[in-house]
PDB file of all heavy atoms in Angstrom:
ATOM      1  N   VAL K  14       0.841  -1.185  -0.006  1.00 98.00           N
ATOM      2  CA  VAL K  14      -0.003   0.007   0.008  1.00 98.00           C
ATOM      3  C   VAL K  14       0.895   1.241   0.007  1.00 98.00           C
ATOM      4  O   VAL K  14       1.857   1.323   0.755  1.00 98.00           O
ATOM      5  CB  VAL K  14      -0.930   0.012   1.230  1.00 98.00           C
ATOM      6  CG1 VAL K  14      -1.870   1.219   1.171  1.00 98.00           C
ATOM      7  CG2 VAL K  14      -1.695  -1.282   1.357  1.00 98.00           C
ATOM      8  N   SER K  15       0.560   2.206  -0.854  1.00 98.00           N
ATOM      9  CA  SER K  15       1.316   3.472  -0.872  1.00 98.00           C
ATOM     10  C   SER K  15       0.366   4.632  -1.001  1.00 98.00           C
ATOM     11  O   SER K  15      -0.786   4.464  -1.434  1.00 98.00           O
ATOM     12  CB  SER K  15       2.324   3.474  -2.024  1.00 98.00           C
ATOM     13  OG  SER K  15       1.660   3.404  -3.266  1.00 98.00           O
ATOM     14  N   TRP K  16       0.815   5.818  -0.634  1.00 98.00           N
ATOM     15  CA  TRP K  16      -0.021   7.018  -0.698  1.00 98.00           C
ATOM     16  C   TRP K  16       0.865   8.246  -0.651  1.00 98.00           C
ATOM     17  O   TRP K  16       2.048   8.175  -0.410  1.00 98.00           O
ATOM     18  CB  TRP K  16      -1.024   7.023   0.460  1.00 98.00           C
ATOM     19  CG  TRP K  16      -0.388   7.016   1.840  1.00 98.00           C
ATOM     20  CD1 TRP K  16      -0.003   8.092   2.594  1.00 98.00           C
ATOM     21  CD2 TRP K  16      -0.006   5.842   2.587  1.00 98.00           C
ATOM     22  NE1 TRP K  16       0.572   7.672   3.757  1.00 98.00           N
ATOM     23  CE2 TRP K  16       0.603   6.309   3.791  1.00 98.00           C
ATOM     24  CE3 TRP K  16      -0.113   4.468   2.377  1.00 98.00           C
ATOM     25  CZ2 TRP K  16       1.059   5.441   4.758  1.00 98.00           C
ATOM     26  CZ3 TRP K  16       0.379   3.605   3.333  1.00 98.00           C
ATOM     27  CH2 TRP K  16       0.940   4.088   4.518  1.00 98.00           C
ATOM     28  N   THR K  17       0.249   9.390  -0.860  1.00 98.00           N
ATOM     29  CA  THR K  17       0.917  10.673  -0.717  1.00 98.00           C
ATOM     30  C   THR K  17       0.368  11.389   0.516  1.00 98.00           C
ATOM     31  O   THR K  17      -0.853  11.454   0.695  1.00 98.00           O
ATOM     32  CB  THR K  17       0.686  11.543  -1.982  1.00 98.00           C
ATOM     33  OG1 THR K  17       1.197  10.856  -3.133  1.00 98.00           O
ATOM     34  CG2 THR K  17       1.373  12.898  -1.851  1.00 98.00           C
ATOM     35  N   ALA K  18       1.252  11.909   1.340  1.00 97.00           N
ATOM     36  CA  ALA K  18       0.824  12.591   2.552  1.00 97.00           C
ATOM     37  C   ALA K  18      -0.091  13.762   2.228  1.00 97.00           C
ATOM     38  O   ALA K  18       0.114  14.469   1.208  1.00 97.00           O
ATOM     39  CB  ALA K  18       2.034  13.085   3.322  1.00 97.00           C
ATOM     40  N   GLY K  19      -1.106  13.989   3.058  1.00 95.00           N
ATOM     41  CA  GLY K  19      -2.011  15.089   2.830  1.00 95.00           C
ATOM     42  C   GLY K  19      -1.349  16.443   3.015  1.00 95.00           C
ATOM     43  O   GLY K  19      -1.685  17.406   2.336  1.00 95.00           O
ATOM     44  N   TYR K  20      -0.382  16.485   3.923  1.00 93.00           N
ATOM     45  CA  TYR K  20       0.399  17.738   4.135  1.00 93.00           C
ATOM     46  C   TYR K  20       1.802  17.356   4.541  1.00 93.00           C
ATOM     47  O   TYR K  20       2.608  16.920   3.744  1.00 93.00           O
ATOM     48  CB  TYR K  20      -0.314  18.646   5.129  1.00 93.00           C
ATOM     49  CG  TYR K  20       0.351  19.993   5.298  1.00 93.00           C
ATOM     50  CD1 TYR K  20       0.569  20.819   4.183  1.00 93.00           C
ATOM     51  CD2 TYR K  20       0.752  20.443   6.552  1.00 93.00           C
ATOM     52  CE1 TYR K  20       1.185  22.064   4.327  1.00 93.00           C
ATOM     53  CE2 TYR K  20       1.384  21.677   6.703  1.00 93.00           C
ATOM     54  CZ  TYR K  20       1.572  22.492   5.578  1.00 93.00           C
ATOM     55  OH  TYR K  20       2.200  23.696   5.724  1.00 93.00           O
ATOM     56  N   SER K  21       2.088  17.457   5.840  1.00 92.00           N
ATOM     57  CA  SER K  21       3.436  17.143   6.303  1.00 92.00           C
ATOM     58  C   SER K  21       3.429  16.060   7.371  1.00 92.00           C
ATOM     59  O   SER K  21       4.438  15.832   8.039  1.00 92.00           O
ATOM     60  CB  SER K  21       4.099  18.403   6.861  1.00 92.00           C
ATOM     61  OG  SER K  21       3.360  18.930   7.943  1.00 92.00           O
ATOM     62  N   GLU K  22       2.291  15.393   7.548  1.00 96.00           N
ATOM     63  CA  GLU K  22       2.207  14.372   8.582  1.00 96.00           C
ATOM     64  C   GLU K  22       3.126  13.179   8.267  1.00 96.00           C
ATOM     65  O   GLU K  22       3.411  12.888   7.100  1.00 96.00           O
ATOM     66  CB  GLU K  22       0.766  13.915   8.783  1.00 96.00           C
ATOM     67  CG  GLU K  22       0.265  12.869   7.762  1.00 96.00           C
ATOM     68  CD  GLU K  22      -0.192  13.468   6.428  1.00 96.00           C
ATOM     69  OE1 GLU K  22      -0.074  14.687   6.248  1.00 96.00           O
ATOM     70  OE2 GLU K  22      -0.638  12.670   5.566  1.00 96.00           O
ATOM     71  N   THR K  23       3.546  12.475   9.317  1.00 96.00           N
ATOM     72  CA  THR K  23       4.416  11.314   9.179  1.00 96.00           C
ATOM     73  C   THR K  23       3.811  10.081   9.854  1.00 96.00           C
ATOM     74  O   THR K  23       4.479   9.039   9.948  1.00 96.00           O
ATOM     75  CB  THR K  23       5.800  11.592   9.753  1.00 96.00           C
ATOM     76  OG1 THR K  23       5.691  11.964  11.115  1.00 96.00           O
ATOM     77  CG2 THR K  23       6.509  12.692   8.948  1.00 96.00           C
ATOM     78  N   THR K  24       2.604  10.216  10.353  1.00 97.00           N
ATOM     79  CA  THR K  24       1.936   9.091  11.023  1.00 97.00           C
ATOM     80  C   THR K  24       0.537   8.949  10.440  1.00 97.00           C
ATOM     81  O   THR K  24      -0.131   9.940  10.147  1.00 97.00           O
ATOM     82  CB  THR K  24       1.850   9.334  12.523  1.00 97.00           C
ATOM     83  OG1 THR K  24       3.165   9.550  13.046  1.00 97.00           O
ATOM     84  CG2 THR K  24       1.227   8.133  13.240  1.00 97.00           C
ATOM     85  N   TRP K  25       0.131   7.676  10.264  1.00 97.00           N
ATOM     86  CA  TRP K  25      -1.210   7.409   9.705  1.00 97.00           C
ATOM     87  C   TRP K  25      -1.843   6.235  10.467  1.00 97.00           C
ATOM     88  O   TRP K  25      -1.166   5.493  11.163  1.00 97.00           O
ATOM     89  CB  TRP K  25      -1.077   7.034   8.225  1.00 97.00           C
ATOM     90  CG  TRP K  25      -0.464   8.098   7.388  1.00 97.00           C
ATOM     91  CD1 TRP K  25      -1.112   9.088   6.706  1.00 97.00           C
ATOM     92  CD2 TRP K  25       0.911   8.288   7.127  1.00 97.00           C
ATOM     93  NE1 TRP K  25      -0.209   9.886   6.039  1.00 97.00           N
ATOM     94  CE2 TRP K  25       1.035   9.416   6.267  1.00 97.00           C
ATOM     95  CE3 TRP K  25       2.089   7.615   7.495  1.00 97.00           C
ATOM     96  CZ2 TRP K  25       2.281   9.877   5.820  1.00 97.00           C
ATOM     97  CZ3 TRP K  25       3.313   8.080   7.045  1.00 97.00           C
ATOM     98  CH2 TRP K  25       3.404   9.207   6.218  1.00 97.00           C
ATOM     99  N   GLU K  26      -3.165   6.122  10.307  1.00 97.00           N
ATOM    100  CA  GLU K  26      -3.898   4.974  10.798  1.00 97.00           C
ATOM    101  C   GLU K  26      -4.479   4.243   9.611  1.00 97.00           C
ATOM    102  O   GLU K  26      -4.929   4.874   8.644  1.00 97.00           O
ATOM    103  CB  GLU K  26      -5.069   5.393  11.697  1.00 97.00           C
ATOM    104  CG  GLU K  26      -4.671   5.800  13.095  1.00 97.00           C
ATOM    105  CD  GLU K  26      -5.908   6.057  13.972  1.00 97.00           C
ATOM    106  OE1 GLU K  26      -7.056   5.730  13.509  1.00 97.00           O
ATOM    107  OE2 GLU K  26      -5.781   6.594  15.060  1.00 97.00           O
ATOM    108  N   TYR K  27      -4.479   2.883   9.678  1.00 98.00           N
ATOM    109  CA  TYR K  27      -5.091   2.118   8.582  1.00 98.00           C
ATOM    110  C   TYR K  27      -5.922   0.978   9.153  1.00 98.00           C
ATOM    111  O   TYR K  27      -5.674   0.485  10.260  1.00 98.00           O
ATOM    112  CB  TYR K  27      -4.050   1.604   7.608  1.00 98.00           C
ATOM    113  CG  TYR K  27      -3.158   0.517   8.178  1.00 98.00           C
ATOM    114  CD1 TYR K  27      -3.477  -0.812   8.015  1.00 98.00           C
ATOM    115  CD2 TYR K  27      -1.980   0.829   8.839  1.00 98.00           C
ATOM    116  CE1 TYR K  27      -2.674  -1.828   8.506  1.00 98.00           C
ATOM    117  CE2 TYR K  27      -1.144  -0.156   9.346  1.00 98.00           C
ATOM    118  CZ  TYR K  27      -1.499  -1.497   9.161  1.00 98.00           C
ATOM    119  OH  TYR K  27      -0.693  -2.505   9.674  1.00 98.00           O
ATOM    120  N   VAL K  28      -6.909   0.598   8.349  1.00 98.00           N
ATOM    121  CA  VAL K  28      -7.764  -0.548   8.693  1.00 98.00           C
ATOM    122  C   VAL K  28      -7.910  -1.397   7.440  1.00 98.00           C
ATOM    123  O   VAL K  28      -8.225  -0.895   6.363  1.00 98.00           O
ATOM    124  CB  VAL K  28      -9.155  -0.095   9.162  1.00 98.00           C
ATOM    125  CG1 VAL K  28     -10.079  -1.277   9.344  1.00 98.00           C
ATOM    126  CG2 VAL K  28      -9.068   0.716  10.439  1.00 98.00           C
ATOM    127  N   ILE K  29      -7.638  -2.718   7.556  1.00 98.00           N
ATOM    128  CA  ILE K  29      -7.830  -3.672   6.491  1.00 98.00           C
ATOM    129  C   ILE K  29      -9.040  -4.519   6.838  1.00 98.00           C
ATOM    130  O   ILE K  29      -9.121  -5.062   7.931  1.00 98.00           O
ATOM    131  CB  ILE K  29      -6.578  -4.582   6.335  1.00 98.00           C
ATOM    132  CG1 ILE K  29      -5.339  -3.782   6.042  1.00 98.00           C
ATOM    133  CG2 ILE K  29      -6.827  -5.611   5.226  1.00 98.00           C
ATOM    134  CD1 ILE K  29      -5.372  -3.090   4.701  1.00 98.00           C
ATOM    135  N   GLN K  30      -9.984  -4.615   5.905  1.00 97.00           N
ATOM    136  CA  GLN K  30     -11.195  -5.379   6.190  1.00 97.00           C
ATOM    137  C   GLN K  30     -11.781  -5.911   4.896  1.00 97.00           C
ATOM    138  O   GLN K  30     -11.346  -5.557   3.797  1.00 97.00           O
ATOM    139  CB  GLN K  30     -12.208  -4.492   6.907  1.00 97.00           C
ATOM    140  CG  GLN K  30     -12.539  -3.221   6.161  1.00 97.00           C
ATOM    141  CD  GLN K  30     -13.275  -2.192   7.022  1.00 97.00           C
ATOM    142  OE1 GLN K  30     -13.290  -2.271   8.268  1.00 97.00           O
ATOM    143  NE2 GLN K  30     -13.884  -1.213   6.392  1.00 97.00           N
ATOM    144  N   ASP K  31     -12.778  -6.766   5.007  1.00 97.00           N
ATOM    145  CA  ASP K  31     -13.430  -7.313   3.820  1.00 97.00           C
ATOM    146  C   ASP K  31     -14.053  -6.198   3.016  1.00 97.00           C
ATOM    147  O   ASP K  31     -14.628  -5.245   3.569  1.00 97.00           O
ATOM    148  CB  ASP K  31     -14.520  -8.319   4.198  1.00 97.00           C
ATOM    149  CG  ASP K  31     -13.931  -9.608   4.773  1.00 97.00           C
ATOM    150  OD1 ASP K  31     -12.747  -9.892   4.513  1.00 97.00           O
ATOM    151  OD2 ASP K  31     -14.676 -10.339   5.474  1.00 97.00           O
ATOM    152  N   SER K  32     -13.957  -6.301   1.695  1.00 96.00           N
ATOM    153  CA  SER K  32     -14.519  -5.285   0.821  1.00 96.00           C
ATOM    154  C   SER K  32     -16.005  -5.102   1.066  1.00 96.00           C
ATOM    155  O   SER K  32     -16.740  -6.101   1.233  1.00 96.00           O
ATOM    156  CB  SER K  32     -14.279  -5.662  -0.645  1.00 96.00           C
ATOM    157  OG  SER K  32     -14.735  -4.650  -1.510  1.00 96.00           O
ATOM    158  N   GLY K  33     -16.462  -3.864   1.127  1.00 96.00           N
ATOM    159  CA  GLY K  33     -17.859  -3.582   1.355  1.00 96.00           C
ATOM    160  C   GLY K  33     -18.247  -3.405   2.793  1.00 96.00           C
ATOM    161  O   GLY K  33     -19.399  -3.090   3.102  1.00 96.00           O
ATOM    162  N   THR K  34     -17.286  -3.527   3.730  1.00 97.00           N
ATOM    163  CA  THR K  34     -17.580  -3.351   5.134  1.00 97.00           C
ATOM    164  C   THR K  34     -17.957  -1.910   5.451  1.00 97.00           C
ATOM    165  O   THR K  34     -18.844  -1.654   6.263  1.00 97.00           O
ATOM    166  CB  THR K  34     -16.386  -3.820   6.002  1.00 97.00           C
ATOM    167  OG1 THR K  34     -16.091  -5.172   5.692  1.00 97.00           O
ATOM    168  CG2 THR K  34     -16.702  -3.650   7.467  1.00 97.00           C
ATOM    169  N   GLY K  35     -17.250  -0.968   4.838  1.00 96.00           N
ATOM    170  CA  GLY K  35     -17.591   0.434   5.035  1.00 96.00           C
ATOM    171  C   GLY K  35     -16.670   1.186   5.955  1.00 96.00           C
ATOM    172  O   GLY K  35     -15.681   0.646   6.456  1.00 96.00           O
ATOM    173  N   VAL K  36     -16.977   2.443   6.169  1.00 97.00           N
ATOM    174  CA  VAL K  36     -16.125   3.330   6.974  1.00 97.00           C
ATOM    175  C   VAL K  36     -15.927   2.767   8.372  1.00 97.00           C
ATOM    176  O   VAL K  36     -16.888   2.407   9.042  1.00 97.00           O
ATOM    177  CB  VAL K  36     -16.713   4.741   7.048  1.00 97.00           C
ATOM    178  CG1 VAL K  36     -15.846   5.652   7.899  1.00 97.00           C
ATOM    179  CG2 VAL K  36     -16.895   5.311   5.648  1.00 97.00           C
ATOM    180  N   PRO K  37     -14.669   2.661   8.851  1.00 96.00           N
ATOM    181  CA  PRO K  37     -14.422   2.128  10.191  1.00 96.00           C
ATOM    182  C   PRO K  37     -15.062   2.975  11.266  1.00 96.00           C
ATOM    183  O   PRO K  37     -15.162   4.207  11.145  1.00 96.00           O
ATOM    184  CB  PRO K  37     -12.896   2.165  10.294  1.00 96.00           C
ATOM    185  CG  PRO K  37     -12.401   2.179   8.888  1.00 96.00           C
ATOM    186  CD  PRO K  37     -13.424   2.924   8.109  1.00 96.00           C
ATOM    187  N   THR K  38     -15.487   2.337  12.310  1.00 94.00           N
ATOM    188  CA  THR K  38     -16.116   3.032  13.443  1.00 94.00           C
ATOM    189  C   THR K  38     -15.169   3.061  14.646  1.00 94.00           C
ATOM    190  O   THR K  38     -15.520   3.608  15.693  1.00 94.00           O
ATOM    191  CB  THR K  38     -17.427   2.369  13.852  1.00 94.00           C
ATOM    192  OG1 THR K  38     -17.190   0.987  14.136  1.00 94.00           O
ATOM    193  CG2 THR K  38     -18.443   2.471  12.707  1.00 94.00           C
ATOM    194  N   THR K  39     -13.985   2.439  14.528  1.00 93.00           N
ATOM    195  CA  THR K  39     -12.982   2.434  15.600  1.00 93.00           C
ATOM    196  C   THR K  39     -11.657   2.899  15.027  1.00 93.00           C
ATOM    197  O   THR K  39     -11.507   3.074  13.813  1.00 93.00           O
ATOM    198  CB  THR K  39     -12.841   1.037  16.210  1.00 93.00           C
ATOM    199  OG1 THR K  39     -12.429   0.136  15.184  1.00 93.00           O
ATOM    200  CG2 THR K  39     -14.156   0.574  16.811  1.00 93.00           C
ATOM    201  N   SER K  40     -10.690   3.108  15.876  1.00 93.00           N
ATOM    202  CA  SER K  40      -9.345   3.528  15.465  1.00 93.00           C
ATOM    203  C   SER K  40      -8.689   2.401  14.703  1.00 93.00           C
ATOM    204  O   SER K  40      -8.996   1.214  14.846  1.00 93.00           O
ATOM    205  CB  SER K  40      -8.484   3.895  16.669  1.00 93.00           C
ATOM    206  OG  SER K  40      -9.057   4.988  17.372  1.00 93.00           O
ATOM    207  N   GLY K  41      -7.747   2.795  13.837  1.00 95.00           N
ATOM    208  CA  GLY K  41      -6.985   1.812  13.064  1.00 95.00           C
ATOM    209  C   GLY K  41      -5.628   1.523  13.688  1.00 95.00           C
ATOM    210  O   GLY K  41      -5.357   1.904  14.819  1.00 95.00           O
ATOM    211  N   THR K  42      -4.801   0.870  12.919  1.00 97.00           N
ATOM    212  CA  THR K  42      -3.410   0.564  13.332  1.00 97.00           C
ATOM    213  C   THR K  42      -2.517   1.708  12.935  1.00 97.00           C
ATOM    214  O   THR K  42      -2.539   2.178  11.789  1.00 97.00           O
ATOM    215  CB  THR K  42      -2.960  -0.737  12.651  1.00 97.00           C
ATOM    216  OG1 THR K  42      -3.834  -1.809  13.001  1.00 97.00           O
ATOM    217  CG2 THR K  42      -1.532  -1.099  13.078  1.00 97.00           C
ATOM    218  N   LEU K  43      -1.686   2.160  13.852  1.00 97.00           N
ATOM    219  CA  LEU K  43      -0.759   3.266  13.567  1.00 97.00           C
ATOM    220  C   LEU K  43       0.417   2.768  12.720  1.00 97.00           C
ATOM    221  O   LEU K  43       0.918   1.662  12.943  1.00 97.00           O
ATOM    222  CB  LEU K  43      -0.243   3.866  14.871  1.00 97.00           C
ATOM    223  CG  LEU K  43      -1.214   4.752  15.660  1.00 97.00           C
ATOM    224  CD1 LEU K  43      -0.575   5.157  16.973  1.00 97.00           C
ATOM    225  CD2 LEU K  43      -1.599   5.981  14.856  1.00 97.00           C
ATOM    226  N   THR K  44       0.867   3.595  11.795  1.00 97.00           N
ATOM    227  CA  THR K  44       2.074   3.300  11.044  1.00 97.00           C
ATOM    228  C   THR K  44       2.798   4.599  10.678  1.00 97.00           C
ATOM    229  O   THR K  44       2.164   5.639  10.525  1.00 97.00           O
ATOM    230  CB  THR K  44       1.745   2.505   9.739  1.00 97.00           C
ATOM    231  OG1 THR K  44       2.962   2.141   9.090  1.00 97.00           O
ATOM    232  CG2 THR K  44       0.907   3.343   8.797  1.00 97.00           C
ATOM    233  N   THR K  45       4.092   4.486  10.547  1.00 97.00           N
ATOM    234  CA  THR K  45       4.913   5.603  10.037  1.00 97.00           C
ATOM    235  C   THR K  45       5.608   5.173   8.753  1.00 97.00           C
ATOM    236  O   THR K  45       6.478   5.880   8.258  1.00 97.00           O
ATOM    237  CB  THR K  45       5.975   6.021  11.074  1.00 97.00           C
ATOM    238  OG1 THR K  45       6.792   4.899  11.396  1.00 97.00           O
ATOM    239  CG2 THR K  45       5.304   6.549  12.341  1.00 97.00           C
ATOM    240  N   THR K  46       5.190   4.031   8.208  1.00 97.00           N
ATOM    241  CA  THR K  46       5.847   3.434   7.029  1.00 97.00           C
ATOM    242  C   THR K  46       5.003   3.654   5.777  1.00 97.00           C
ATOM    243  O   THR K  46       3.814   3.324   5.759  1.00 97.00           O
ATOM    244  CB  THR K  46       6.064   1.920   7.240  1.00 97.00           C
ATOM    245  OG1 THR K  46       6.838   1.704   8.406  1.00 97.00           O
ATOM    246  CG2 THR K  46       6.778   1.297   6.035  1.00 97.00           C
ATOM    247  N   ASN K  47       5.605   4.202   4.768  1.00 97.00           N
ATOM    248  CA  ASN K  47       4.968   4.405   3.467  1.00 97.00           C
ATOM    249  C   ASN K  47       6.018   4.233   2.375  1.00 97.00           C
ATOM    250  O   ASN K  47       6.962   5.022   2.328  1.00 97.00           O
ATOM    251  CB  ASN K  47       4.353   5.811   3.401  1.00 97.00           C
ATOM    252  CG  ASN K  47       3.681   6.076   2.073  1.00 97.00           C
ATOM    253  OD1 ASN K  47       3.366   5.171   1.303  1.00 97.00           O
ATOM    254  ND2 ASN K  47       3.422   7.361   1.782  1.00 97.00           N
TER     255      ASN K  47
END
């Protein structure tokens, strides 16, 4: 997975789930890797 930072942030949260599950309702996993 890759992306472009929205501004200057270096930390992100992500959630992997079955397709069609929809917008997460809880926090994701923190990462600083891109």
Side-chain angles (χ1 to χ4, degrees):
V14 184
S15 63
W16 60 90
T17 300
Y20 186 55
S21 60
E22 81 279 1
T23 57
T24 304
W25 300 268
E26 283 186 10
Y27 70 92
V28 174
I29 301 294
Q30 56 194 15
D31 290 339
S32 184
T34 302
V36 179
T38 56
T39 59
S40 298
T42 302
L43 286 174
T44 185
T45 57
T46 303
N47 179 17

